[in-house]
Amino acid sequence: MGNEEDYSQEFRDDTVSRSYQPVRSEKPPAPPVEIPIEVISEDALTGVIENYITREGTDYGMVEVNHETKVRQIRDQIHKGYVKIVFDPDSESVTIMSQKQWDDTQAAYAAAT
C-alpha cells in the first residue's frame, strides 16, 4: 500500500462544509449516490442530520444555536433542495452536501474516470 495518493479535496460553501476523501483501492471509485428524501424514514433522516451535526460541527457565527434548531435548519434545507443526502459506496457512509459540493464531487469523479 505504499503506492497510495492523497485525494482529499476541500469543498466549502456558505451553508455546509465537508472534507471529502474517496476511498482508493484497486477498483475504480464508485461515484456518490444521492438519496432521495422520499425514501428515508423520518427517524433515519433525523439520525443522518444529527450524525452530520455531531461529526462536522457547524458555525453559526456570534450567536450559539441549540441542537434542535440546527436539526430543524438542516431538515428545512434538505426539504427545500439546498442540500442533499449522499451515500458514498466506497466508504459506505452517508453525509449531507450542498448543491455546490454535489456538483464539485460529480465533476471530480467524472474527471477521474
Side-chain angles (χ1 to χ4, degrees):
M1 292 221 194
N3 204 8
E4 293 179 291
E5 296 179 40
D6 180 11
Y7 288 92
S8 65
Q9 188 170 10
E10 185 74 18
F11 297 101
R12 292 195 168 274
D13 76 5
D14 294 334
T15 308
V16 293
S17 66
R18 171 170 171 26
S19 294
Y20 189 78
Q21 286 189 320
V23 175
R24 292 296 186 194
S25 66
E26 297 299 317
K27 65 181 181 174
V33 178
E34 180 181 359
I35 302 172
I37 188 72
E38 299 81 24
V39 302
I40 302 173
S41 71
E42 282 301 313
D43 287 343
L45 178 59
T46 299
V48 168
I49 293 169
E50 288 180 346
N51 180 274
Y52 177 80
I53 290 169
T54 303
R55 184 181 68 240
E56 297 297 326
T58 49
D59 181 11
Y60 287 84
M62 300 286 291
V63 178
E64 181 62 31
V65 178
N66 69 39
H67 182 78
E68 293 77 23
T69 301
K70 291 177 188 179
V71 170
R72 188 180 70 252
Q73 289 173 342
I74 292 176
R75 184 183 303 272
D76 289 346
Q77 291 175 11
I78 291 168
H79 284 289
K80 290 177 181 176
Y82 300 149
V83 297
K84 298 177 177 295
I85 300 171
V86 178
F87 174 71
D88 180 350
D90 291 329
S91 65
E92 298 181 356
S93 64
V94 175
T95 194
I96 296 173
M97 290 183 175
S98 69
Q99 181 65 51
K100 180 177 180 348
Q101 289 171 313
W102 173 254
D103 293 343
D104 290 347
T105 300
Q106 294 298 94
Y109 270 90
T113 57

